[in-house]
Amino acid sequence: MIKVLYYLLCLLIMVNPAYAEKSEWIDPGYDFTKTKSICIDYVASPEIADGIRDKESQELFFKKAKADIADKLSKQKYKVDTIYKAKENFTTSERIDSKESAKDITQEQLPLFEKYVQNNYNLLIKCIVSQYDTGKKYVEAHTYKTTVPVATTVLDATGQMQTIIIQQQQEFNIPAGNYPAAFVQVGFDVIDTKTNQKVWSLDDKRDKIDDTGISDIKPNGLFTQVIAEFAENLRKNLKNRRPVEKKI
């Protein structure tokens, strides 16, 4: 039994193969350092709008965006609101019936709300999720070499046998086949509210394969990584990215 548990542990701690593909464009003439206020929005593409994947990814996005974008930038004196907070502020400023939900802004009110966003925020960030799935992916036969903890027994100073853990390199052969995998594809559009033009676009597509075939792999880990990396780059751009001087 101990040997079986040890074997499973070794499999679980091996590094799972991951794949990432990114495409990115940033307006070289835009001065990100002048940004003072940001509104954050989320959009589920029709591909995942099934009431389950879109809700899970939406909740995860706003939770992670609050921690990695809003909270961290607020400490640096930026104003950062979610689209829901912006709508709430708008309904208050327009003295719309407080019983109405912020998400119930009507088509007639939409132009006024867009004007509100334009007047109160420098940037609008839209996160567009078009893939948030689990499934299978084919993997060619390959070999892992990794360091794993191994239990062994030794004699201590009193002559008693003691179990200790040592790190030992082992090799694992993975046969070809279809293995559980998680998939995400996320786009970020960063829009200047005054011009309504994109100043930064990023498409991040990732998958991760569990070629041990025994763990419950999910897309939320990949999505969390995508948001964290975007948030880090956003903070860097806001601090450092100024217009690129054209060479004569």
Side-chain angles (χ1 to χ4, degrees), residues 93 102-103:
S93 68
K103 67 182 180 182

Short mmCIF file of all heavy atoms in Angstrom, two decimals, residues 93 102-103:
data_model
loop_
_atom_site.label_atom_id
_atom_site.label_comp_id
_atom_site.label_asym_id
_atom_site.label_seq_id
_atom_site.Cartn_x
_atom_site.Cartn_y
_atom_site.Cartn_z
N SER A 93 -25.70 59.10 -9.75
CA SER A 93 -25.51 60.46 -10.27
C SER A 93 -26.68 60.93 -11.12
O SER A 93 -27.01 62.11 -11.16
CB SER A 93 -24.22 60.53 -11.10
OG SER A 93 -24.35 59.77 -12.29
N ALA A 102 -28.06 47.74 -11.17
CA ALA A 102 -27.10 48.42 -12.05
C ALA A 102 -27.02 47.76 -13.42
O ALA A 102 -26.76 48.42 -14.42
CB ALA A 102 -25.72 48.42 -11.39
N LYS A 103 -27.24 46.45 -13.49
CA LYS A 103 -27.15 45.76 -14.76
C LYS A 103 -28.37 46.01 -15.64
O LYS A 103 -28.40 45.59 -16.79
CB LYS A 103 -26.96 44.25 -14.54
CG LYS A 103 -28.17 43.55 -13.92
CD LYS A 103 -27.88 42.09 -13.70
CE LYS A 103 -29.07 41.38 -13.08
NZ LYS A 103 -28.79 39.95 -12.82
#
